[in-house]
Amino acid sequence: MCGIFAVIGSREVSPLLVDGLRKMEYRGYDSAGLATIQNSNKDHSRNLIIRKSKGKLINLSNLLKKDPIQGHVGIGHTRWATHGKPNEINAHPHIDFTGEIAVVQNGIIENYRDLSHSLLLKGIEFTSQTDTEVIPHLIALEIEKSLNNDCSPNGETLLISVQKVLSLLEGTYALAVIWSKAPDALVVARRQAPLVLGFGEGEFFCASDTPALSGFTRTFLPLENNEVALLTPLGIELYDQSGQRQHRAPSLLKGTEFFGDKKNFRHFMLKEIYEQPETAQLWIERYLPIDLQSDTSIAFPVSKSILNKIDQIQILACGTSRHAAMVGAYLLEQFAGVPTKVYFASEFRYSPPPLSSNTLTIGVSQSGETADTLAALRMEKERRNATNDINFCFHQLGITNRIDSSIGRELDNIIDIGSGIEIGVAATKTFLGQMLSFYGLTLLFASHTKKRNKKEILDLSNDLRLVPRQLTDLIKKHDSLSKELAHLFVDTKDVIFLGRGINYPIALEGALKLKEISYIHAQGYPAGELKHGPIALLDQHVPVVSIAVPGVVYEKVLSNSQEAKARDARLIGIAPYGKESEIFDELFSIPKVSEWVSPLLTVIPLQLFSYHIAAHKGLDVDQPRNLAKSVTVE
Ligand code: M6R
């Protein structure tokens, strides 16, 4: 989703801005732009210079090569269109009617219609269709008032004007502003949308996400909600909503991950699929080491006092994270005996269930910045706190790959899935890490509720310990098979995915992956539902992918698959090799494992299958059209 990168210091900022934006490309965007304040050689005046281009950042880089710009302060932006088409005009930065102020913004200004109406009445004309453009115009009006009151054109005037305008805005934002009359100032602010500050040597940064800071500085400070900061070449001043100066110590970024290295893989997605055995191994070493004390089932940093108070669990998540949550809900209910419900975070916000007592609320988000998940968690916290009844208090847990994210900071208990940065927009290794974290929670609750005896808990732990090895074998085997099969499916228009029980969410995930990166319509169903409607779609042109794992529903899934085959559908099985698997036209064989751990394996061929179809079609696998890695708007 939109990315902001801004710099102030003593170096030429234009290459730094492009470099910072490049490190956030993985978030997904459709246009890019930047603004600097440039000294005129003729009359030493300072001018705001803007460069924008539609499409990939390379277009902006090429434009800058042809038409370079200078300046020691600048703001950059990658836009993911919400209001107005993805074109050059709507790309950020946006400027005010004087041509002196430039703004980049993420989020949505919900009252922009009212604001633009009042600006139009003042004779101000708009050039874009964006909600953002109201901001520079409003700031310009505030600056005009200040200058009429004898204020000087400096950073403080800009800061105060921005603060006044922020109080007029409804909705969510992260923004950065520069003014050609105050070339030593960069003002940034946030409400709900993420923004971090970076402290370099004689230069200061602001970015939507910490990866953008890599290579510039490791010292960072996340801006809190409703805070505003004034960045100058000398330092950073931080203010809260009421204008009070804030003093907080910055932190050091951990790790020195290099974000642009595909390591000989054609795409990040394939690299990340291949990293899954390592994800699983690291997770096991961290949370399920062999030498765990005998009374501990898992080494999670979750307070034991929470466990005593929990009668049920509700999980809030979106997209792939929701599918991991569904696997988790199955495990928590069926293995650990804890009633668990999964909600679309976006739906939960506007139709929450009646308050239930002694409930653990879990938020699952790879990025930790998904606006719907964050808002649902905040809303749940508010409504529970409002009751003042101890039975309804907010017990919270976050599962994320980014402990430095908003979810990581806002929730008291966090499970860090530790999958390492994921660049491909389509989640793969983080899905595995999220599922593993639910296995961990299941072990924790099962030993606490005594629903399972020691042997059953030990068996599940031991099965989990075998997974990294099994993943390595599976990836090796199915990478080449799915590559071979991919060419058979490039012209396919619709695919149905079937699964039941613990593998139903994997059918949903298989369908989502295929849709996301290959743009083929796909739908996942619980296999038993096929005959209640979707079967009408089937013929020789609609392949059916069926996940059939020995266990509670094995025979049932096989029968449902037969029903599809009888309608001429080409049948692709994700199943162990054997007599039963003969019904499949194509087989992605998986080892005979306990049904409990099977989702960790059945998802692998589905990821590879989607990947190779998309790669075969020559699509932009890592940054599919219209999608963003971090969905920071509602
Ligand atoms: O960062 P999150 O896990 O909260 O993101 C939720 C969804 O936007 C995300 O899973 C999306 O569905 C991915 N593109 C899946 O590949």
Side-chain angles (χ1 to χ4, degrees):
M1 199 138 276
C2 301
I4 290 176
F5 190 70
V7 193
I8 188 160
S10 52
R11 287 197 275 172
E12 283 299 334
V13 292
S14 133
L16 310 185
L17 292 172
V18 174
D19 194 15
L21 292 178
R22 187 168 291 125
K23 289 172 188 149
M24 286 189 292
E25 271 195 298
Y26 74 96
R27 291 164 66 92
Y29 66 101
D30 43 53
S31 53
L34 48 84
T36 62
I37 298 173
Q38 189 169 286
N39 253 336
S40 153
N41 289 337
K42 284 189 213 141
D43 57 2
H44 299 292
S45 62
R46 314 248 158 133
N47 301 313
L48 193 64
I49 311 287
I50 312 270
R51 295 283 182 271
K52 297 183 191 186
S53 64
K54 192 183 161 194
K56 295 290 177 197
L57 208 49
I58 185 76
N59 300 342
L60 182 66
S61 298
N62 290 340
L63 180 66
L64 286 164
K65 272 185 207 143
K66 267 199 269 157
D67 204 358
I69 61 178
Q70 279 88 42
H72 297 163
V73 60
I75 54 181
H77 192 261
T78 41
R79 172 175 188 253
W80 185 85
T82 60
H83 295 64
K85 284 199 178 307
N87 57 27
E88 211 173 286
I89 291 174
N90 291 327
H92 297 213
H94 290 285
I95 53 170
D96 73 307
F97 55 89
T98 66
E100 293 175 349
I101 298 159
V103 173
V104 290
Q105 182 238 339
N106 295 349
I108 293 177
I109 305 303
E110 286 168 1
N111 60 338
Y112 82 99
R113 280 192 198 84
D114 293 343
L115 294 170
S116 48
H117 183 66
S118 64
L119 289 165
L120 283 168
L121 291 178
K122 290 188 168 87
I124 293 170
E125 284 178 14
F126 284 77
T127 49
S128 77
Q129 288 94 50
T130 64
D131 52 333
T132 305
E133 199 187 331
V134 294
I135 304 173
H137 295 313
L138 289 168
I139 296 173
L141 290 178
E142 284 302 332
I143 285 182
E144 250 178 27
K145 279 190 226 160
S146 306
L147 296 181
N148 287 341
N149 289 335
D150 285 342
C151 289
S152 323
N154 57 27
E156 203 189 340
T157 306
L158 179 64
L159 172 71
I160 293 167
S161 304
V162 171
Q163 281 167 323
K164 285 187 182 152
V165 169
L166 295 181
S167 66
L168 306 175
L169 305 181
E170 287 168 19
T172 59
Y173 56 76
L175 52 84
V177 189
I178 52 174
W179 178 28
S180 58
K181 295 249 168 69
D184 285 343
L186 162 64
V187 175
V188 303
R190 75 165 279 235
R191 185 195 292 160
Q192 311 295 3
L195 207 59
V196 293
L197 302 174
F199 296 71
E201 288 177 359
E203 57 191 7
F204 298 89
F205 308 87
C206 121
S208 297
D209 204 354
T210 49
L213 297 177
S214 80
F216 295 115
T217 178
R218 292 180 59 210
T219 313
F220 78 107
L221 181 71
L223 215 58
E224 294 291 342
N225 242 345
N226 296 312
E227 279 185 337
V228 183
L230 170 64
L231 284 66
T232 72
L234 300 176
I236 296 183
E237 293 171 17
L238 197 60
Y239 297 89
D240 70 5
Q241 196 171 11
S242 63
Q244 288 300 310
R245 182 89 187 256
Q246 302 295 299
H247 297 277
R248 279 202 309 281
S251 315
L252 265 193
L253 275 174
K254 293 194 198 91
T256 49
E257 287 173 290
F258 179 57
F259 301 103
D261 189 359
K262 288 199 201 117
K263 293 193 178 144
N264 295 329
F265 286 94
R266 189 168 155 210
H267 295 100
F268 281 108
M269 182 179 173
L270 188 60
K271 169 177 169 266
E272 286 154 6
I273 291 173
Y274 267 83
E275 281 170 353
Q276 290 178 107
E278 191 189 350
T279 300
Q281 188 57 42
L282 290 173
W283 188 95
I284 284 160
E285 283 166 15
R286 182 169 179 186
Y287 296 124
L288 197 58
I290 280 288
D291 55 355
L292 264 186
Q293 290 164 5
S294 58
D295 60 340
T296 321
S297 57
I298 189 93
F300 268 168
V302 177
S303 139
K304 286 268 156 62
S305 63
I306 280 196
L307 294 176
N308 296 328
K309 294 179 193 147
I310 296 307
D311 295 334
Q312 58 232 310
I313 297 175
Q314 56 185 13
I315 314 178
L316 315 178
C318 305
T320 288
S321 295
R322 188 176 146 272
H323 299 154
M326 289 171 72
V327 172
Y330 185 97
L331 289 164
L332 286 160
E333 288 199 332
Q334 305 301 321
F335 192 90
V338 186
T340 305
K341 275 194 91 168
V342 180
Y343 295 89
F344 289 101
S346 53
E347 289 295 306
F348 186 90
R349 292 179 69 176
Y350 301 104
S351 48
L355 279 184
S356 51
S357 59
N358 305 326
T359 303
L360 173 65
T361 304
I362 303 180
V364 191
S365 172
Q366 172 281 127
S367 63
E369 298 293 354
T370 298
D372 284 318
T373 309
L374 268 167
L377 286 165
R378 287 175 186 145
M379 186 211 74
E380 186 62 356
K381 184 176 186 177
E382 255 171 50
R383 73 171 183 147
R384 285 185 176 269
N385 287 347
T387 67
N388 282 331
D389 181 335
I390 187 138
N391 292 320
F392 292 115
C393 72
F394 186 55
H395 300 293
Q396 52 188 302
L397 174 66
I399 298 179
T400 184
N401 196 34
R402 300 294 303 275
I403 47 167
D404 55 343
S405 64
S406 299
I407 284 188
R409 293 194 301 275
E410 288 181 28
L411 299 193
D412 291 341
N413 298 290
I414 285 290
I415 296 173
D416 171 13
I417 66 171
S419 302
I421 192 100
E422 188 176 67
I423 303 281
V425 162
T428 51
K429 62 176 180 170
T430 55
F431 177 62
L432 189 89
Q434 290 169 337
M435 283 198 289
L436 282 166
S437 300
F438 277 109
Y439 281 91
L441 274 183
T442 302
L443 288 170
L444 197 65
F445 274 98
S447 41
H448 182 76
T449 56
K450 308 261 185 304
K451 159 98 178 165
R452 298 281 163 181
N453 61 36
K454 281 199 171 143
K455 176 166 182 320
E456 287 170 305
I457 290 186
L458 200 65
D459 284 349
L460 179 53
S461 306
N462 287 337
D463 284 345
L464 287 171
R465 290 191 180 103
L466 297 176
V467 165
R469 186 61 208 264
Q470 291 161 341
L471 289 173
T472 307
D473 295 345
L474 267 184
I475 293 169
K476 205 162 142 200
K477 185 157 79 181
H478 294 319
D479 191 12
S480 42
L481 176 59
S482 44
K483 199 170 182 175
E484 276 166 33
L485 285 183
H487 71 275
L488 298 179
F489 293 91
V490 283
D491 295 324
T492 302
K493 300 274 181 288
D494 301 279
V495 181
I496 301 280
F497 288 75
L498 301 178
R500 277 182 98 142
I502 197 167
N503 276 296
Y504 163 51
I506 302 302
L508 295 180
E509 178 60 10
L512 181 67
K513 284 286 91 83
L514 191 65
K515 274 185 274 212
E516 281 189 300
I517 58 167
S518 70
Y519 315 147
I520 293 175
H521 174 251
Q523 215 59 46
Y525 291 102
E529 276 293 300
L530 186 68
K531 57 188 172 295
H532 296 292
I535 200 164
L537 295 170
L538 298 187
D539 61 20
Q540 71 274 28
H541 302 298
V542 181
V544 171
V545 180
S546 188
I547 308 165
V549 175
V552 189
V553 285
Y554 185 44
E555 300 298 338
K556 308 282 172 205
V557 179
L558 291 174
S559 309
N560 301 141
S561 309
Q562 291 281 14
E563 290 157 15
K565 198 175 166 80
R567 270 83 191 172
D568 295 332
R570 187 183 192 98
L571 207 55
I572 300 146
I574 315 290
Y577 178 77
K579 189 123 195 63
E580 291 87 349
S581 67
E582 282 170 11
I583 63 161
F584 297 113
D585 298 308
E586 315 291 348
L587 176 70
F588 286 106
S589 68
I590 54 154
K592 285 189 178 133
V593 292
S594 136
E595 194 181 16
W596 294 119
V597 295
S598 61
L600 297 165
L601 307 182
T602 51
V603 73
I604 300 296
L606 300 184
Q607 294 171 342
L608 286 164
F609 184 56
S610 301
Y611 168 78
H612 281 296
I613 293 177
H616 196 80
K617 287 172 92 173
L619 297 172
D620 189 349
V621 175
D622 290 329
Q623 289 169 31
R625 68 181 180 206
N626 305 337
L627 293 183
K629 186 72 186 160
S630 195
V631 185
T632 51
V633 294
E634 195 184 336

